[in-house]
């Protein structure tokens, strides 16, 4: 008995140690799983289908950050923890039931890149929700060096066509040398409208990406436009425009 007791005690200590390690493992795993807080959510309808495209932005613990674009049926509820993000961040054309065409840049070999390339280095084709997803992937260096520029204006009125949107009587109220523009025209793709709690337009954000006919990046300028007077967000259509679903405080 005197020889077996230390062995039994040692085995019990080992079991306790394993239990403690397992509990610590579970605690660490659970604490490292982000709990996402949705900060922005926008929706764009795909014409002649029941599909919609959501654009989201969310923050988690330890300043973790995710964002992306997803396709769901309009009958489905958006769940930040259960979405399949599309492989691009910008649209090239208005999404249709035949094709959703996106643009993305690849920075995986940025440090090794010497020469700039301004045309797609790869094209991928996928299928999601019964829709064809085509993504043109650009070299990060060539993409970023053709991107830049910022325009901030207030506008008086706007007009839409099926594939374009026009803003009129614009004034730059933030630059050292204010500029007036009679008209700005944009292709309907990467247009996002933020709204107030009263469902009025707060700001129109536009990523004006321009490609040549042979897919060379020409420019990628960001615009922030605010209305001079109250405009309901419902004055804009749902085609080719991301509209904020709810104002998240």
């Amino acid at each position: 008995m005197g020889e077996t007791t230390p062995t039994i005690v040692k085995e019990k200590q080992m079991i306790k140690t394993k239990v403690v390690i397992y509990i610590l493992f579970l605690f660490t795993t659970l604490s490292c799983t982000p709990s996402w807080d949705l900060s922005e959510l926008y929706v764009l309808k795909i014409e002649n289908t029941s599909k919609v495209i959501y654009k989201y932005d969310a923050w988690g613990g330890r300043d973790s950050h995710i964002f992306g674009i997803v396709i769901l049926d309009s009958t489905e509820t958006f769940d930040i923890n259960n979405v399949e993000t599309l492989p691009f961040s910008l649209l090239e054309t208005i999404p249709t039931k035949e094709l959703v065409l996106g643009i993305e840049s690849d920075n995986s070999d940025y440090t090794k890149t010497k020469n700039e390339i301004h045309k797609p280095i790869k094209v991928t084709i996928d299928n999601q929700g019964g829709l064809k997803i085509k993504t043109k992937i650009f070299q990060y260096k060539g993409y970023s060096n053709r991107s830049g520029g910022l325009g901030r204006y207030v506008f008086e009125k706007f007009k839409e066509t099926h594939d374009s949107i026009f803003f009129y009587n614009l004034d730059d109220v933030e630059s050292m040398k204010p500029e007036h523009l009679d008209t700005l025209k944009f292709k309907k793709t990467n247009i996002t409208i933020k709204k107030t709690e009263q469902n009025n337009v707060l700001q129109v954000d536009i990523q004006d990406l321009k490609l040549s006919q042979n897919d060379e990046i020409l420019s990628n300028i960001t615009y922030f436009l605010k209305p001079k007077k109250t405009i309901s967000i419902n004055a804009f259509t749902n085609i080719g425009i991301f509209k904020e679903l709810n104002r998240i405080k």
Side-chain angles (χ1 to χ4, degrees):
M1 290 291 292
E3 294 180 356
T4 58
T5 300
T7 302
I8 295 173
V9 171
K10 187 175 181 180
E11 288 178 351
K12 288 183 177 180
Q13 289 176 339
M14 290 178 64
I15 292 172
K16 288 182 179 180
T17 301
K18 289 180 179 180
V19 170
V20 170
I21 292 173
Y22 180 69
I23 292 173
L24 288 173
F25 171 77
L26 285 177
F27 176 79
T28 303
T29 302
L30 292 173
S31 63
C32 290
T33 302
S35 176
W36 299 111
D37 290 325
L38 196 62
S39 57
E40 296 181 23
L41 184 62
Y42 307 89
V43 65
L44 176 154
K45 292 185 178 180
I46 301 180
E47 199 171 13
N48 299 320
T49 74
S50 62
K51 305 295 183 182
V52 295
I53 298 181
Y54 288 100
K55 182 165 69 169
Y56 69 89
D57 194 288
W59 292 86
R62 299 181 181 178
D63 293 329
S64 52
H65 180 218
I66 58 172
F67 58 91
I69 296 175
V70 301
I71 292 178
L72 291 176
D73 193 89
S74 58
T75 60
E76 297 179 88
T77 301
F78 181 89
D79 180 0
I80 187 65
N81 297 304
N82 188 30
V83 293
E84 183 180 354
T85 303
L86 293 174
F88 57 78
S89 55
L90 293 178
L91 292 167
E92 184 181 348
T93 58
I94 296 176
T96 67
K97 62 181 180 180
E98 286 81 24
L99 177 66
V100 178
L101 181 57
I103 300 292
E104 189 54 89
S105 62
D106 179 10
N107 63 353
S108 59
D109 63 344
Y110 179 72
T111 56
K112 301 177 182 178
T113 302
K114 293 183 179 180
N115 299 322
E116 288 187 24
I117 302 173
H118 303 111
K119 294 182 180 181
I121 57 175
K122 183 168 61 174
V123 176
T124 63
I125 297 178
D126 303 291
N127 187 287
Q128 191 175 124
L131 297 174
K132 181 180 178 182
I133 311 297
K134 184 177 180 180
T135 305
K136 296 178 182 179
I137 302 173
F138 287 82
Q139 177 206 59
Y140 180 80
K141 188 173 185 178
Y143 179 88
S144 61
N145 286 345
R146 288 284 175 94
S147 300
L150 177 64
R152 295 179 181 269
Y153 297 92
V154 291
F155 66 93
E156 182 177 1
K157 58 183 180 179
F158 74 96
K159 182 182 75 174
E160 285 187 56
T161 64
H162 184 268
D163 58 1
S164 300
I165 185 167
F166 300 79
F167 294 91
Y168 299 100
N169 191 16
L170 303 104
D171 293 300
D172 178 353
V173 294
E174 296 193 21
S175 299
M176 296 295 291
K177 296 181 179 180
E179 178 185 20
H180 174 82
L181 298 175
D182 292 330
T183 309
L184 268 179
K185 176 187 176 182
F186 300 101
K187 181 175 66 173
K188 281 187 178 179
T189 45
N190 305 295
I191 298 175
T192 303
I193 302 180
K194 298 179 179 179
K195 69 176 184 177
T196 66
E197 293 181 354
Q198 293 74 36
N199 284 329
N200 295 320
V201 175
L202 178 65
Q203 181 170 286
V204 182
D205 296 353
I206 301 168
Q207 200 67 41
D208 189 27
L209 174 66
K210 292 183 178 179
L211 303 180
S212 69
Q213 291 185 347
N214 61 352
D215 280 347
E216 180 180 350
I217 300 174
L218 301 177
S219 63
N220 186 16
I221 302 174
T222 302
Y223 290 87
F224 298 130
L225 309 181
K226 292 184 177 181
K228 293 181 179 180
K229 58 184 179 181
T230 301
I231 299 177
S232 170
I233 194 170
N234 295 323
F236 291 82
T237 68
N238 295 308
I239 304 302
I241 297 175
F242 285 100
K243 297 166 75 171
E244 189 170 20
L245 276 181
N246 52 343
R247 191 73 195 140
I248 301 172
K249 298 179 180 180

